[in-house]
């Protein structure tokens, strides 16, 4: 997904600055250093959200699937922006928690300088979900990126599948980076309509998970 997007972006905007962070280079500190001044931020990774401040994170029964190093210690009753985030490099091998522990929470997103960012595409599971609070709505990654300065955010409402999401991403950027430069909402709508025509991805779970948040134009 990232390799395809890099090539597509080079064709659409040859002179625009771009930074590709993958594998062990995709650390929190690298994201913080690279995010400023970029028009588009695209994350293809794993997302998490806690459904309640009063329960601990669910620990998988299979020990091989557990995140080591203290993810379960994100304690109860913290700021709701701490309850959702994106997994980055080092999350499975971290020893201590801190600014570069491999988990970019929505609270840490608030500290990014995203003024001038036109789009943040969060290609991961559950990135549009968060903690519901009266008078505030849903507090999570979408709010974090918006408050940090991103004009439009594309995020998912449930767990998504890799293959279908990669295909949706390709169709989305085909419109978003095209000559007409459609809005995120229009590009996502067209991408979803195109994807559902593919017999492999006709079920709504494949094409309806993502929503566009921000101005329609």
């Amino acid at each position: 997904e990232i390799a395809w997007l890099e090539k597509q972006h080079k064709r659409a905007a040859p002179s625009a600055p771009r930074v590709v962070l993958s594998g062990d280079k995709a650390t929190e500190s690298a994201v913080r250093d690279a995010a400023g001044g970029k028009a588009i931020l695209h994350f293809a990774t794993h997302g998490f959200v806690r459904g309640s401040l009063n329960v601990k994170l669910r620990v998988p029964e299979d020990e091989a699937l557990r995140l080591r190093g203290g993810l379960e210690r994100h304690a109860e009753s913290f700021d709701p922006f701490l309850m959702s985030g994106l997994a980055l490099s080092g999350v499975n091998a971290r020893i201590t928690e801190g600014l570069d522990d491999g988990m970019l929470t929505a609270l840490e997103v608030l500290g990014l300088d995203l003024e001038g960012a036109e789009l943040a595409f969060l290609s991961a599971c559950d990135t549009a979900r968060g903690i519901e609070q009266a008078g505030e709505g849903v507090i999570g990654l979408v709010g974090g990126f918006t408050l940090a300065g991103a004009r439009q955010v594309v995020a998912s409402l449930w767990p998504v599948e890799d293959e279908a999401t990669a295909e949706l991403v390709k169709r989305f950027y085909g419109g978003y980076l095209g000559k007409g430069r459609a809005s995120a909402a229009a590009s996502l709508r067209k991408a979803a309509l195109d994807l559902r025509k593919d017999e492999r991805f006709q079920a709504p779970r494949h094409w309806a998970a993502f929503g566009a948040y921000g101005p329609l134009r």
Side-chain angles (χ1 to χ4, degrees):
E1 185 175 324
I2 293 296
W4 178 90
L5 181 55
E6 181 184 13
K7 293 178 182 178
Q8 185 76 4
H9 190 261
K10 283 182 179 179
R11 287 196 293 267
S15 61
R18 68 184 61 83
V19 176
V20 178
L21 302 172
S22 62
D24 58 6
K25 295 181 180 179
T27 63
E28 283 189 75
S29 57
V31 169
R32 283 193 293 271
D33 291 343
K38 303 301 186 298
I40 299 173
L41 293 93
H42 186 92
F43 293 85
T45 182
H46 299 287
F48 85 91
V49 62
R50 291 178 59 194
S52 170
L53 293 175
N54 298 316
V55 296
K56 295 180 179 179
L57 286 169
R58 182 180 63 83
V59 181
E61 294 181 4
D62 186 344
E63 187 173 355
L65 298 178
R66 297 178 188 174
L67 295 177
R68 299 184 298 276
L71 176 59
E72 295 82 15
R73 292 199 300 273
H74 274 301
E76 304 171 21
S77 301
F78 278 0
D79 188 311
F81 278 103
L82 267 177
M83 302 303 116
S84 56
L86 298 169
L88 299 177
S89 177
V91 69
N92 283 331
R94 70 201 213 193
I95 299 174
T96 60
E97 300 192 26
L99 291 178
D100 209 1
D101 62 4
M103 187 62 74
L104 182 68
T105 66
L107 183 63
E108 291 170 319
V109 170
L110 290 173
L112 300 178
D113 180 11
L114 302 185
E115 290 298 326
E118 283 294 316
L119 172 69
F121 197 123
L122 311 182
S123 180
C125 298
D126 298 320
T127 49
R129 296 180 57 220
I131 301 299
E132 297 179 11
Q133 288 196 341
E136 297 291 339
V138 177
I139 297 177
L141 286 167
V142 171
F145 276 94
T146 300
L147 291 172
R151 186 168 182 267
Q152 302 171 99
V153 180
V154 175
S156 64
L157 286 165
W158 56 74
V160 295
E161 299 176 2
D162 289 346
E163 185 179 7
T165 300
E167 290 298 324
L168 181 74
V169 165
K170 290 178 181 180
R171 289 164 170 78
F172 172 85
Y173 282 108
Y176 188 76
L177 295 176
K179 293 182 179 180
R181 288 306 303 268
S183 68
S187 298
L188 184 62
R189 179 180 182 276
K190 185 177 185 304
L193 290 173
D194 287 346
L195 189 63
R196 67 184 296 186
K197 296 176 184 177
D198 190 319
E199 62 181 13
R200 297 172 299 168
F201 308 118
Q202 290 180 344
R205 69 178 185 276
H206 295 305
W207 52 263
F210 287 90
Y213 303 83
L216 295 178
R217 297 183 180 274

